[in-house]
Amino acid sequence: MSITEELKQTLIELDIDEIAGKVQAALDSGLKAQEVLSALTEGMDEVGRLYETQEYYLTELVLAGETMKEAFAILQPHLKAGDQGNKNKVITLTVKGDNHDIGKNILASLLLSAGFEVIDLGMDVHEDKVVQTVKETGAKVIAMSSLLTMTVEEISTVDQVLKKEGLRDKVKIIAGGAPLNMELAKKLGADDYADDAVEGVRHIKALFH
Ligand code: B12
């Protein structure tokens, strides 16, 4: 098996204990960071496909996100600016009052592997922090997660504050999380919604076009 095929398989098999060593070995053997990233991204695409066909479930998706994170920790210092293809910036966060970040983290790692620059603000994030980050980074997409019915209104709060600051037409909002659907997300001021992180990456790519 070639090194790139082995990397891809390690990710598909969710072998979190092996991945860092395999990435390091691939780099040591002279493979370019971009080639390693492509192999990992192909693995992640396959994981996404297995999830869509229900051969993999959320547990596997979570583990894939964690495995990718391990790989990325080794790979990131080797990636030069521009290496990641597109450097489109996306802000990821979980809304104020909500401490669920597993889904948001999966989305963030899928975005990273798809070549986006991810500015992750973490969870329980105040709307002012979102606005400040839009100003500082010029990010074009905000990806917001809300898992609690109680906190979905926060999406609307962010939308309102961005409007007040005259920034709303400079940035697109995509929301996700179990209590939401496209209709509710739009009612709360988001431009888009996606059911899961795999779909989310697809939608975010489209938002940049
Ligand atoms: C793990 C968990 C916790 C953990 C969170 C740990 C962490 N670091 O995230 C802990 C223990 C902290 C927790 C706490 C609480 N929880 Co909780 N929790 C869960 C649980 C079991 C799993 C959530 C999860 O991680 N799923 C796995 C991830 C991968 O899925 P996901 O988050 O849905 O994300 C996917 C999609 O939604 C989408 N997605 C998510 N975000 C985004 C964003 C964008 C932009 C896009 C495009 C897509 C996207 O992509 C992801 C992957 O494909 C759920 C039940 C459930 N089955 O969902 C309850 C659940 C969410 N919790 C619930 C509750 C009530 C609470 C508490 C209030 C409990 C309490 N009384 O204290 C607290 C709230 C704390 C707080 N302030 O946030 C309720 C919410 C009910 C509601 N509708 O409001 C749920 C639904 C359980 C239930 N059935 O009652 N919880």
Side-chain angles (χ1 to χ4, degrees):
M1 210 190 291
S2 70
I3 302 174
T4 48
E5 190 58 30
E6 211 175 305
L7 277 171
K8 186 176 154 187
Q9 284 306 324
T10 308
L11 195 67
I12 296 169
E13 285 158 21
L14 312 170
D15 199 341
I16 194 160
D17 297 327
E18 289 289 321
I19 195 80
K22 291 257 161 86
V23 170
Q24 191 59 58
L27 291 169
D28 291 345
S29 79
L31 214 64
K32 289 201 186 81
Q34 183 56 48
E35 291 169 319
V36 176
L37 182 61
S38 298
L40 293 168
T41 306
E42 279 175 31
M44 215 54 173
D45 286 347
E46 179 61 14
V47 170
R49 200 192 60 74
L50 290 166
Y51 174 70
E52 280 170 5
T53 55
Q54 297 186 348
E55 284 157 82
Y56 274 7
Y57 294 94
L58 266 183
T59 325
E60 282 84 6
L61 208 54
V62 172
L63 194 52
E66 294 298 316
T67 308
M68 189 69 196
K69 238 192 267 171
E70 290 281 315
F72 221 80
I74 308 291
L75 190 61
Q76 206 158 25
H78 299 270
L79 284 165
K80 290 182 229 83
D83 243 6
Q84 284 164 279
N86 77 70
K87 289 292 277 181
N88 290 330
K89 291 179 191 168
V90 181
I91 298 172
T92 55
L93 66 126
T94 302
V95 297
K96 191 170 70 188
D98 189 340
N99 287 329
H100 295 84
D101 69 351
I102 298 171
K104 184 265 299 165
N105 290 345
I106 293 174
L107 177 70
S109 56
L110 290 182
L111 284 169
L112 276 176
S113 71
F116 288 92
E117 183 175 335
V118 175
I119 304 142
D120 183 28
L121 300 181
M123 56 192 179
D124 187 16
V125 179
H126 195 282
E127 59 274 14
D128 291 347
K129 176 77 185 166
V130 183
V131 170
Q132 185 197 334
T133 310
V134 170
K135 282 183 186 162
E136 283 171 7
T137 64
K140 295 279 184 294
V141 171
I142 303 170
M144 274 192 273
S145 183
S146 175
L147 270 272
L148 299 171
T149 310
M150 218 170 61
T151 57
V152 292
E153 277 293 331
E154 288 303 320
I155 294 162
S156 167
T157 308
V158 172
D159 171 56
Q160 294 300 323
V161 179
L162 285 168
K163 276 184 183 140
K164 217 172 76 194
E165 296 279 331
L167 291 167
R168 188 60 186 89
D169 57 349
K170 294 191 168 52
V171 67
K172 294 269 198 295
I173 297 175
I174 179 166
L180 292 161
N181 52 47
M182 184 66 88
E183 195 190 346
L184 179 57
K186 289 204 164 163
K187 216 157 129 190
L188 292 164
D191 300 288
D192 201 359
Y193 161 86
D195 266 333
D196 60 40
V198 175
E199 231 359 74
V201 173
R202 229 175 264 152
H203 283 221
I204 289 167
K205 279 182 186 158
L207 288 175
F208 276 98
H209 289 118

